[in-house]
Amino acid sequence: MEIVLSGIRPTGNLHLGNYFGAVRNFVKMQDEANCFFFIADYHSLTTHPKPDDLHARVKQVLVEYLAAGLDPEKSTLYVQSDLQETAELYLFLNMNAYMGELERVTTFKEKARKQPDNVNAGLLTYPSLMAADILIHKAHKVPVGKDQEQHLEMTRTFARRFNRMYQEDYFPIPQAFNFGEELVKVPGLDGSGKMGKSEGEGNAIFLSDDPKTIRKKVMRAVTDSGPTEPNQSKPEAIENLFTMLRIMSTPDAYNFFDEQYNNCTIRYGDLKKHLAEEIVHFTDPIRNRILELGNNEQYISKVARLGAEKARESGRKTVNEVREIIGFKSF
Ligand code: TRP
């Protein structure tokens, strides 16, 4: 079976944009491939998180992905730092990662510009660590967004370089995997662009938001003073609301409000009320699971231990083989 792998940065809570983007597709993929999903807590050290924050964030991410439907029985769901062999493979890969190519990586240059007082070596070698994540399970496919394509290209370079250096067809060359049509872009509520956590207060609806918060955010979504001519085209903010409606509600409801827009009788308040209830209806079971799981320490640690065990079984095998290929021998 094909091996699919993805890393999840432990930053912030899941919002509807994440859900209809990657998360829902991760959930589906569990039935189709041998999936590895891990929380990239080693990577997050580049920004020097406080010890207490680090653990809390990892836990929250684990809880939210479980609540959204990742199944620890179907997939290998683990915390990156529980697979310490990742760090060893990272070390090996770094020996064949060159300064020049690392310095040219766009995300590195951006980070260096954004945090000039913390341009650490971990930031520079971020692609080696990501390559270690991928190669340690010999993954074939990696679902990544545009921003990660260059990193994946580096992984391919490192894998090929290793294979060539040791004259062995050892690492499969991983391919980027795009969800294509399945990737639904959810617009934000501020009238422009897509939903994102960094776009400002109220732009994103989180899976953990309670109904009151959701209603408030939707009612405050940006609109205009309404259409004045029949069938006029929709400005971006209005188009965004309709897109949300299309994602969250039924075709009937969409057509109902669309018709009202076209004959200029629409009241945005009604549309928003309807939309808010649809969102609440959708997120409420997930939010309840988040609350439940968040309080179930025992279950969460069981999931983390199971994931660590499965990840180690796969990861240790690779690292032992790599050690042998490199030429380490025990006395
Ligand atoms: N760099 C990825 C991101 O920023 C997270 C990540 C770490 C990752 N290791 C990975 C993604 C391995 C895919 C495969 O989102």
Side-chain angles (χ1 to χ4, degrees), residues 46 99-116 118-127 147 150-151 154:
T46 54
M99 286 296 284
E101 62 189 346
L102 293 169
E103 279 167 346
R104 275 195 303 275
V105 174
T106 316
T107 47
F108 172 70
K109 288 193 282 191
E110 251 168 46
K111 282 271 166 61
R113 200 169 346 105
K114 269 196 215 145
Q115 47 182 72
N118 182 22
V119 188
N120 59 64
L123 219 47
L124 181 71
T125 56
Y126 189 107
D147 63 324
Q150 194 181 16
H151 288 153
M154 301 281 288

Side-chain angles (χ1 to χ4, degrees), residues 32-95:
E32 294 155 19
N34 182 7
C35 294
F36 289 82
F37 301 113
F38 66 91
I39 301 166
D41 58 346
Y42 278 157
H43 284 276
S44 72
L45 297 184
T46 54
T47 52
H48 305 163
K50 293 202 183 72
D52 291 338
D53 289 349
L54 182 62
H55 181 72
R57 273 188 229 159
V58 170
K59 182 188 165 194
Q60 186 63 18
V61 172
L62 188 55
V63 162
E64 295 202 351
Y65 274 79
L66 287 168
L70 285 196
D71 182 338
E73 302 288 335
K74 290 182 188 168
S75 300
T76 299
L77 179 57
Y78 68 101
V79 179
Q80 184 186 29
S81 62
D82 281 340
L83 179 58
Q84 298 182 19
E85 283 77 4
T86 303
E88 190 173 351
L89 186 56
Y90 165 63
L91 181 150
F92 297 152
L93 293 173
N94 269 335
M95 299 301 168

Side-chain angles (χ1 to χ4, degrees), residues 260-308:
Q260 288 194 339
Y261 184 87
N262 285 333
N263 62 28
C264 307
T265 59
I266 193 162
R267 290 198 309 204
Y268 292 134
D270 295 345
L271 184 159
K272 287 176 169 181
K273 260 188 212 140
H274 173 85
L275 179 60
E277 292 321 304
E278 293 286 51
I279 295 174
V280 168
H281 178 75
F282 177 82
T283 54
D284 222 38
I286 303 179
R287 184 177 69 97
N288 286 327
R289 280 200 295 277
I290 293 174
L291 293 173
E292 247 170 64
L293 290 167
N295 289 319
N296 196 342
E297 292 295 339
Q298 225 180 345
Y299 179 71
I300 294 304
S301 73
K302 201 178 104 187
V303 167
R305 267 181 285 136
L306 173 69

